[in-house]
Amino acid sequence: MLSWKENIGVLGVALFGFVLLLPLAQGAERKTLEGTITDAMCGVTHKAGMSAAACTNGCVNMGSKYALVVGDTVYTLEGKSGELKALAGEKVKLTGTVDGKAVQVESVGKS
């Protein structure tokens, strides 16, 4: 049998673990967003003389991530890279798991 000091220690460790994991459980949620496919480096401003699609795909080929601009917010995108490449520069409706400013893309199509 544990002493009262050991019981308090076990309770403290359990409470500490719960407090650490609580934000993770609350952070990500499934959402549908509408915006424009771009890349994280350029955002809404692309290189002069290039189409938004060409600039976006060129930047992604150099290591940038695909992104979705919704108003003033830029979300980085993970997954569905083939579909994102085909829709670069286009206005889209995208569904995915949003965690802060990152989205794990589940589906995307023209809006």
Side-chain angles (χ1 to χ4, degrees), residues 26-73:
Q26 294 175 342
E29 66 179 292
R30 191 169 187 266
K31 289 185 179 181
T32 298
L33 303 168
E34 291 190 57
T36 303
I37 300 289
T38 184
D39 64 276
M41 186 167 56
C42 293
V44 295
T45 308
H46 294 284
K47 187 174 180 179
M50 291 184 81
S51 70
C55 184
T56 295
N57 288 323
C59 289
V60 169
N61 287 338
M62 292 188 305
S64 186
K65 291 184 177 263
Y66 282 108
L68 182 72
V69 174
V70 179
D72 293 335
T73 305

Side-chain angles (χ1 to χ4, degrees), residues 10-28:
V10 169
L11 180 63
V13 169
L15 183 60
F16 182 72
F18 176 76
V19 169
L20 286 178
L21 294 175
L22 186 61
L24 295 176
Q26 294 175 342

Side-chain angles (χ1 to χ4, degrees), residues 79-95:
K80 305 286 184 183
S81 60
E83 294 172 45
L84 298 174
K85 181 178 182 176
L87 294 168
E90 302 283 338
K91 291 190 184 287
V92 300
K93 189 174 198 177
L94 180 145
T95 300

